[in-house]
Amino acid sequence: MTAKTMDELVALCKRRGFIFQTNEIYGGLQGLFDYGPLGVELKNNLKQAWWRSMVYERDDVEGLDAAILTSPQVLKHSGHEETFMDLLVDCRSCNSRWRSDHLKKSTCPSCGSKDLTEPRPFNTMFKTNVGPIDDGTSFAYLRPETAQQTFTNFKNIVDSTSRNLPFGIAQIGKAFRNEITPRNFIFRVRELEQMELEFFVKPGTDEQWHQFWIKERLNWWSKQGVSENKLDLYDVPNKELAHYSKSTIDIMYKFPHGREELEGVANRTDYDLGSHTKNQSELSITAKVIKNSSSNAKLAIQDRETKNWIVPYVIEPAAGVDRGVLAILNEAYTVQKLEDGKERTVLSLKPHLSPIKVAVIPLKKNNEDLVSAATKLKGELQGLGLGRILLENSGNIGKSYRRHDEAGTPLCITLDFQTLEDQTVTFRDRDSMTQKRLDVKEAADFVKESVN
Ligand code: ATP
């Protein structure tokens, strides 16, 4: 069972400290959210799972963490200054603003009026002043996607790693989009985080690699606990394709508010490297690129056999961290009816994503012997390097179990007065609620087995 409404998820996120609205004490800033104590752990765990699968478990991908502020030259040559637009319409009746492609039957979603302005393009990139003089000439963009900073580092990475095709560059980081109508909680925000792989391949092998990455990405989402029956693929029609794309397959997910894009897997052809390279006319670039007389680097790779210079094609799986967190919370959220007629809310997260891996709970709050045994166990388990192990010193076992059910903690370990006599502790499993007593010496192995 998954969340019935977005409101339930929003309420849980606030109650347990996953996600808060930014600057809420001043009324909030629209389209921005802060990740609280549990949220930051969940988000980091998701990013780590992506990084592990992209960089550590493959031998053909390198990592990168590039700057957010981006030279206007980059976003001019990438085509974003010209084309990173949404069509904006105003409602003349209630003065609200909408993205025209989000309207149903050209009707204002707020008041139902059909008296709307003609759609006009609106560039969704954020600009900021750079340096002490604010005269409008020295500005940078906040990157709208991580990808462009990857492309502009292509030569640095090839030169420093001696990579040959095919290979990829992975990057996780913030991107900014001045969305006209941010909404649906963390689904559409103005400051977002992306996990993007740019995978460089020989032209002609691009379609095969495109299919390869679509399958890989579906498998990965399923390993994060996203049900296969809530995912499907949308082959983006030509008229909706981004300016750089030959073909894009969107991985769609049934979010609480409807079926929408979770990740896009695009075949960006040789458009980006071709746009940012010098000596364009000497290279056989297939995409229509803007003339570039500013770049000082040749963004091509020499084929080791033929010695020809190739501008690689790029396959890009681009996932949103925030949308991933939302999908995972939606999947994990369950309200169960218990035998005694009461309900419990539980987040059945995959253990590798759980914000807290184990809660160690002394039965009595102020009992020195129990607290010191619990502190010792916490220290030992923390040393396993599995993630956060929490010493939960609240003194109320029932409440602690409920709290950790909602936090998605897979395992609670309770120390009671019997522990002081025979060194046994109680393990309580989040999903089955079963409990078993084991010797504390077995704790590390049991935790590794259950949480890893
Ligand atoms: P949409 O059509 O929903 O606006 P997009 O096609 O513009 O998305 P991409 O440019 O393909 O999105 O970006 C890659 C990924 O980044 C998306 O699949 C999504 O997960 C995430 N993303 C894009 N825009 C936002 C946003 N405003 N808020 C949260 N995540 C976003």
Side-chain angles (χ1 to χ4, degrees):
M1 189 172 77
T2 53
K4 286 173 215 83
T5 64
M6 189 77 95
D7 289 347
E8 283 176 90
L9 286 184
V10 174
L12 174 83
C13 284
K14 169 125 203 218
R15 183 166 76 243
R16 288 292 168 219
F18 279 94
I19 299 164
F20 310 118
Q21 202 193 351
T22 298
N23 300 159
E24 199 177 2
I25 63 164
Y26 288 106
L29 202 49
Q30 223 201 338
L32 295 167
F33 290 91
D34 300 336
Y35 287 76
L38 296 183
V40 62
E41 299 291 341
L42 171 59
K43 197 183 192 201
N44 283 342
N45 291 340
L46 184 67
K47 290 191 280 182
Q48 266 168 28
W50 187 89
W51 195 261
R52 245 191 336 265
S53 85
M54 286 301 187
V55 184
Y56 298 167
E57 288 168 13
R58 302 185 61 88
D59 285 313
D60 54 3
V61 174
E62 303 287 352
L64 174 72
D65 180 18
I68 285 169
L69 293 186
T70 307
S71 157
Q73 289 278 13
V74 172
L75 292 156
K76 173 181 156 197
H77 287 287
S78 69
H80 283 76
E81 277 193 341
E82 278 283 306
T83 58
F84 202 65
M85 306 274 185
D86 282 334
L87 289 175
L88 168 75
V89 292
D90 292 290
C91 169
R92 290 196 186 91
S93 299
C94 70
N95 296 325
S96 58
R97 291 201 150 150
W98 303 97
R99 235 173 92 166
S100 80
D101 60 327
H102 285 171
L103 297 184
K104 288 198 184 101
K105 294 187 184 157
S106 304
T107 305
C108 170
S110 176
C111 71
S113 164
K114 285 188 176 290
D115 188 10
L116 307 175
T117 59
E118 281 301 305
R120 59 188 189 284
F122 169 74
N123 194 305
T124 55
M125 288 197 292
F126 280 101
K127 269 182 188 177
T128 190
N129 188 50
V130 173
I133 301 161
D134 185 6
D135 62 0
T137 59
S138 57
F139 69 93
Y141 288 109
L142 275 67
R143 61 185 183 187
E145 57 177 17
T146 63
Q148 294 307 322
Q149 301 294 56
T150 301
F151 299 132
T152 56
N153 273 292
F154 177 79
K155 190 172 180 331
N156 288 333
I157 291 179
V158 170
D159 289 352
S160 56
T161 63
S162 309
R163 283 286 178 185
N164 206 358
L165 298 179
F167 81 99
I169 304 175
Q171 189 173 184
I172 300 178
K174 293 266 178 143
F176 299 79
R177 298 181 180 189
N178 198 0
E179 295 281 355
I180 297 169
T181 42
R183 62 189 150 154
N184 294 318
F185 194 30
I186 51 170
F187 176 81
R188 186 172 300 286
V189 287
R190 289 187 168 132
E191 178 174 336
L192 54 131
E193 202 158 359
Q194 294 184 311
M195 310 183 277
E196 294 195 307
L197 173 73
E198 309 307 320
F199 198 75
F200 302 97
V201 304
K202 274 190 188 162
T205 65
D206 50 308
E207 290 180 10
Q208 261 160 270
W209 280 110
H210 195 194
Q211 292 309 314
F212 170 86
W213 278 110
I214 294 163
K215 255 203 217 138
E216 282 285 300
R217 298 305 302 146
L218 282 171
N219 283 340
W220 185 82
W221 282 113
S222 133
K223 283 188 197 152
Q224 310 317 308
V226 178
S227 330
E228 280 166 40
N229 63 11
K230 286 213 171 55
L231 291 171
D232 70 294
L233 299 177
Y234 174 64
D235 190 348
V236 179
N238 277 346
K239 62 179 183 354
E240 288 175 25
L241 283 177
H243 60 279
Y244 50 72
S245 174
K246 165 176 163 185
S247 155
T248 297
I249 302 293
D250 284 345
I251 299 180
M252 310 295 279
Y253 174 73
K254 279 192 195 120
F255 286 96
H257 63 281
R259 174 181 172 269
E260 295 233 41
E261 177 182 335
L262 172 63
E263 169 162 1
V265 189
N267 181 342
R268 296 183 76 129
T269 70
D270 54 2
Y271 177 83
D272 299 278
L273 293 181
S275 296
H276 290 305
T277 191
K278 68 174 184 181
N279 302 347
Q280 287 167 323
S281 58
E282 293 166 19
L283 298 161
S284 37
I285 299 167
T286 62
K288 266 198 206 139
V289 294
I290 317 166
K291 206 163 164 244
N292 192 332
S293 49
S294 311
S295 167
N296 58 25
K298 177 150 96 177
L299 303 186
I301 204 161
Q302 197 171 25
D303 189 287
R304 288 191 183 159
E305 282 149 29
T306 64
K307 304 289 175 217
N308 291 336
W309 285 91
I310 299 171
V311 180
Y313 266 44
V314 174
I315 305 301
E316 177 199 63
V321 179
D322 311 87
R323 289 186 190 180
V325 167
L326 185 58
I328 282 158
L329 284 171
N330 184 49
E331 291 287 331
Y333 181 94
T334 316
V335 180
Q336 289 175 348
K337 269 245 173 309
L338 301 175
E339 279 173 9
D340 61 6
K342 289 191 183 144
E343 281 189 342
R344 79 159 180 153
T345 303
V346 55
L347 266 192
S348 297
L349 294 167
K350 294 270 181 195
H352 72 278
L353 296 176
S354 290
I356 297 168
K357 306 302 177 196
V358 181
V360 180
I361 314 173
L363 183 72
K364 213 157 182 279
K365 193 158 135 180
N366 294 323
N367 182 289
E368 242 177 64
D369 294 339
L370 279 180
V371 174
S372 111
T375 309
K376 184 165 170 260
L377 180 58
K378 181 238 141 98
E380 269 170 41
L381 297 178
Q382 192 60 65
L384 299 174
L386 299 171
R388 187 169 187 202
I389 312 287
L390 184 78
L391 177 69
E392 176 71 68
N393 197 9
S394 65
N396 185 325
I397 298 292
K399 272 200 185 149
S400 295
Y401 286 165
R402 290 289 166 273
R403 183 162 47 248
H404 283 285
D405 285 345
E406 289 201 346
T409 309
L411 210 55
C412 290
I413 305 180
T414 301
L415 293 87
D416 56 18
F417 291 106
Q418 195 183 324
T419 308
L420 300 177
E421 284 164 24
D422 66 4
Q423 277 72 53
T424 59
V425 291
T426 304
F427 292 79
R428 189 254 189 195
D429 179 78
R430 174 195 67 200
D431 296 335
S432 63
M433 291 188 286
T434 52
Q435 303 193 10
K436 67 168 156 188
R437 243 190 136 91
L438 290 176
D439 195 296
V440 73
K441 284 200 202 97
E442 294 172 67
D445 283 343
F446 187 77
V447 164
K448 271 194 270 180
E449 216 172 275
S450 324
V451 165
N452 235 350

